[in-house]
Amino acid sequence: MHADDITAAQDSNAGQLALVVWRGHEARVVPITGHPFVLGRAAPADVVVDEPTLSREHVRISPTRTGSLEVVDLQSKNGMRVRGERVARAELQVGESMEVGGVMLLLTRTPPRRAHDLGELPLHRLLAAIDEELARQELTEPTFGRTVTVAVVASNARPLRTRSVDRRAVLDATCSCWLLPELDPRAARAMLGVERIGLASSTEARSGGALVELARRRWSDEATPTLPAPNDATPTPAPNAAAPNAASPNAAAPNAASPNAASPNAASPDAAADVVAVSAATRATFEQARKLASSDRPVLVCGETGSGKELVARLVHASSPRSRGPFVPLNCGAIPSSLVESTLFGHERGAFTGATERRLGAFERANGGTLFLDEVGELAPAVQAALLRVLETGRLLRVGGTREVEVDVRLVSATHRDLREESDEGRFRLDLYHRIGVLPIRVPPLRERPEDVVELARTFVRRAAERSGRTPPRLEPDALQALLSYDWPGNVRELHNVIERVVLLAEDRIELSDVAQHLVVASTPHTPRRPVQTWDLRARLRELEVELVVGALEVTAGNVEGAAELLCVPRRTLAHKMSKLGIRRRWDRG
């Protein structure tokens, strides 16, 4: 059965069908796309639920023409039950639930999309509306902490969350102004999802005219920092750089990693050419990198895997006086232990079997520029000692050599480990830690900078489409919201990989169903297992409601109207539900 046959499941006015899968206190939402799928404990099931009471392939679930689901038992051991009775086949209607092994399935339908009129006002009426909101803020601020934000955007910009925009007016032929009551600039940027935006809040000015002018200036001045891609140009050698006939970076040692394997963890040209710095945390990180670039002291970049540490290292190099010299990246964790010293320091002809000619190491290839050692915490103790000596003396000895070679290199290291803890436990030299960690930079994980997610996703979509020679598909609001709600344990690298897969399969639009299937699969290994404490459906539904409401309030920085928009319920309904669930205005759990 094809998706176009399932009219009820695909009707955007009626909302999308979704299957909620409960396991203990955990819940997952599986969008119904119109195609049959198998649910079970392990592959080859299409939807995998880590539950021992499930068979490997437990049930087949097929959408019907009427908008229900046909659930068929695949001769499983523990079977499936409807209202306590074991059955071999069942038809699940919207709002009905059933037990499959030790999990519970509930068929639901997402609320329909609602249109929101963004009619234009004359500028003087918009200014009056802003002044009215500012006056209301002064009356309510001691109690509720209201914030008024004004946004200036391109005239043809389309907001991700239109209901967050209260009024708008055209300023000139190129830009318009939007009023966003009860949203601070951080939440406004994340929820609107507009590429170029100038924001001003009521904490900065006390009149509509002043806010609009401030936002207009920021819209005109806003620019995203850019870096050259790794292969943009061949660096100009420094005066004392290696000779023209020196070995290429690819030939660190016989049988060593392939040319591009010198840094398999390196940032892709996509990432280097499209630095996204929307969030305050990312901007602060980049600004710190630029400030530290002027010094020649070693820099230690710390952050989770995939968070963009090499990108920061390239920014340090590009902003430093060594920017015309080479930038040599090396992933210490990807080099065979027997070749680490040769890769770093080079070797002489005859130093070992297969060494038929002299090869320059990474230090000499980076002479006059910057050497980036990714995952420096993976180096063996003997190599750590040799690295410390090079950093202290500025001289190295090639493997099999008898004469020291002087090098002029700025070292930037990166690690996802806590090197201080590693040194306390004897796995990393304390003196080397102090040597390479003179200027530390922390790269925040993607979950701490959700404002970057939308812009990164758009960037990856555009570049993936360009490589395929096609028009970039449009990211639908519900798909963007799914990306914003995910915690991205693999950070930017995981987001990039998900978008690559989605773009390959999508047509002209990327919808919730396109994104959710990849996020569900990706998040399964990271879902903590908790014991079943109750089979009370009402208690579980209440817990799920609390999780959803608190999560929406966290995304919108406590803004109730914005959270209501995310949850697709009226603001009054959400306020009543918060009171019923014991969630206070500061969105703590009661």
Side-chain angles (χ1 to χ4, degrees):
M1 185 180 297
H2 298 289
D4 53 5
D5 293 332
I6 315 300
T7 56
Q10 300 297 338
D11 184 0
S12 62
N13 293 325
Q16 183 183 22
L17 285 175
L19 187 67
V20 182
V21 182
W22 269 291
R23 175 187 173 274
H25 292 279
E26 302 164 7
R28 282 171 49 187
V29 178
V30 181
I32 305 301
T33 60
H35 297 283
F37 61 92
V38 174
L39 181 145
R41 174 171 48 83
D46 302 301
V47 176
V48 176
V49 181
D50 185 14
E51 167 58 45
T53 61
L54 291 179
S55 298
R56 184 176 293 272
E57 293 181 278
H58 202 102
V59 293
R60 176 179 288 107
I61 301 173
S62 306
T64 69
R65 293 177 179 273
T66 60
S68 62
L69 292 182
E70 181 186 51
V71 186
V72 178
D73 186 7
L74 299 178
Q75 298 182 341
S76 63
K77 180 179 180 180
N78 293 316
M80 61 186 200
R81 290 175 172 80
V82 177
R83 291 182 290 277
E85 295 185 8
R86 182 160 181 168
V87 296
R89 180 193 171 280
E91 185 172 351
L92 199 61
Q93 303 287 344
V94 173
E96 293 182 345
S97 62
M98 64 181 298
E99 296 177 36
V100 174
V103 303
M104 184 170 292
L105 306 181
L106 170 67
L107 181 61
T108 185
R109 189 186 296 278
T110 60
R113 298 178 183 173
R114 295 172 294 174
H116 184 58
D117 183 18
L118 268 182
E120 297 174 358
L121 296 175
L123 181 57
H124 71 276
R125 289 184 57 190
L126 178 67
L127 294 177
I130 297 174
D131 287 334
E132 181 181 346
E133 285 295 328
L134 291 173
R136 184 178 293 112
Q137 182 205 23
E138 289 186 0
L139 295 176
T140 60
E141 186 174 23
T143 304
F144 297 108
R146 295 169 58 99
T147 302
V148 179
T149 296
V150 169
V152 171
V153 300
S155 296
N156 60 352
R158 295 181 60 185
L160 172 61
R161 289 289 174 184
T162 55
R163 294 188 65 85
S164 300
V165 182
D166 185 78
R167 312 281 178 87
R168 73 173 181 178
V170 174
L171 298 183
D172 53 42
T174 61
C175 61
S176 60
C177 183
W178 297 347
L179 167 61
L180 301 100
E182 298 191 65
L183 278 183
D184 62 24
R186 180 176 178 272
R189 185 182 292 274
M191 293 188 64
L192 293 180
V194 179
E195 291 187 12
R196 182 181 173 192
I197 186 170
L199 296 169
S201 75
S202 52
T203 60
E204 302 173 288
R206 303 307 302 170
S207 73
L211 281 176
V212 171
E213 181 58 30
L214 181 59
R216 186 209 292 266
R217 287 203 307 269
R218 288 175 177 170
W219 181 78
S220 300
D221 297 341
E222 184 173 29
T224 302
T226 58
L227 293 176
N231 299 324
D232 279 354
T234 302
T236 303
N240 57 349
N245 61 351
S248 68
N250 308 350
N255 303 323
S258 63
N260 296 329
S263 184
N265 225 13
S268 66
D270 298 4
D274 291 286
V275 177
V276 173
V278 175
S279 69
T282 307
R283 290 179 180 274
T285 300
F286 287 162
E287 183 60 29
Q288 183 185 14
R290 291 190 185 92
K291 289 180 179 179
L292 299 184
S294 59
S295 170
D296 221 24
R297 305 286 287 168
V299 172
L300 178 61
V301 186
C302 302
E304 295 181 5
T305 300
S307 58
K309 297 187 290 295
E310 179 166 350
L311 203 60
V312 173
R314 290 185 180 277
L315 179 57
V316 170
H317 172 72
S319 305
S320 73
R322 295 175 175 266
S323 58
R324 295 182 63 84
F327 177 87
V328 177
L330 193 70
N331 190 325
C332 301
I335 309 171
S337 56
S338 59
L339 299 175
V340 173
E341 289 193 64
S342 174
T343 304
L344 282 172
F345 311 123
H347 65 261
E348 298 287 354
R349 178 180 179 181
F352 45 80
T353 303
T356 58
E357 60 181 1
R358 171 189 291 177
R359 300 291 187 185
L360 301 186
F363 268 94
E364 288 185 85
R365 299 199 308 273
N367 200 23
T370 303
L371 173 61
F372 173 58
L373 295 184
D374 196 8
E375 299 302 343
V376 69
E378 305 296 328
L379 292 176
V383 182
Q384 293 177 27
L387 175 60
L388 178 63
R389 174 171 173 76
V390 174
L391 295 177
E392 290 179 341
T393 64
R395 296 182 179 85
L396 61 84
L397 187 64
R398 301 188 190 107
V399 176
T402 57
R403 183 176 61 86
E404 288 189 332
V405 179
E406 187 171 344
V407 290
D408 175 25
V409 172
R410 203 271 180 83
L411 180 68
V412 178
S413 307
T415 181
H416 71 281
R417 300 177 182 273
D418 184 340
L419 293 187
R420 185 55 191 259
E421 181 178 329
E422 294 287 302
S423 64
D424 290 343
E425 296 181 4
R427 291 190 292 267
F428 197 84
R429 293 180 62 105
L430 182 60
D431 47 2
L432 179 58
Y433 166 70
H434 288 306
R435 186 74 186 184
I436 66 175
V438 177
L439 303 176
I441 300 177
R442 177 182 178 268
V443 181
L446 194 54
R447 62 180 174 276
E448 293 182 11
R449 40 189 175 111
E451 302 92 335
D452 292 336
V453 171
V454 172
E455 187 60 30
L456 281 167
R458 288 195 173 112
T459 297
F460 294 151
V461 166
R462 184 182 70 252
R463 295 190 65 85
E466 288 174 354
R467 285 195 297 272
S468 303
R470 52 179 289 200
T471 302
R474 181 177 183 271
L475 271 164
E476 292 296 312
D478 51 2
L480 285 170
Q481 189 54 50
L483 297 178
L484 283 169
S485 302
Y486 187 58
D487 63 357
W488 299 110
N491 293 292
V492 179
R493 184 179 295 114
E494 182 184 6
L495 173 61
H496 180 267
N497 292 339
V498 167
I499 294 297
E500 288 278 339
R501 294 195 296 269
V502 169
V503 171
L504 282 175
L505 300 174
E507 295 182 359
D508 59 336
R509 294 187 302 171
I510 298 175
E511 300 181 330
L512 172 63
S513 58
D514 300 315
V515 171
Q517 57 182 319
H518 299 290
L519 299 188
V520 168
V521 173
S523 63
T524 299
H526 306 282
T527 303
R529 297 188 60 181
R530 287 178 285 182
V532 176
Q533 296 180 1
T534 177
W535 290 100
D536 187 334
L537 179 60
R538 288 191 179 89
R540 292 185 186 177
L541 287 173
R542 185 183 188 281
E543 291 178 359
L544 181 60
E545 282 188 314
V546 171
E547 293 292 338
L548 290 173
V549 172
V550 171
L553 288 167
E554 288 175 345
V555 168
T556 60
N559 179 262
V560 177
E561 184 171 352
E565 173 66 22
L566 291 181
L567 296 169
C568 299
V569 298
R571 186 183 187 282
R572 184 175 298 178
T573 300
L574 178 58
H576 174 72
K577 192 169 291 291
M578 289 171 61
S579 175
K580 181 180 177 181
L581 296 174
I583 302 173
R584 297 184 291 275
R585 288 287 307 201
R586 296 181 63 84
W587 41 279
D588 301 322
R589 300 176 193 265

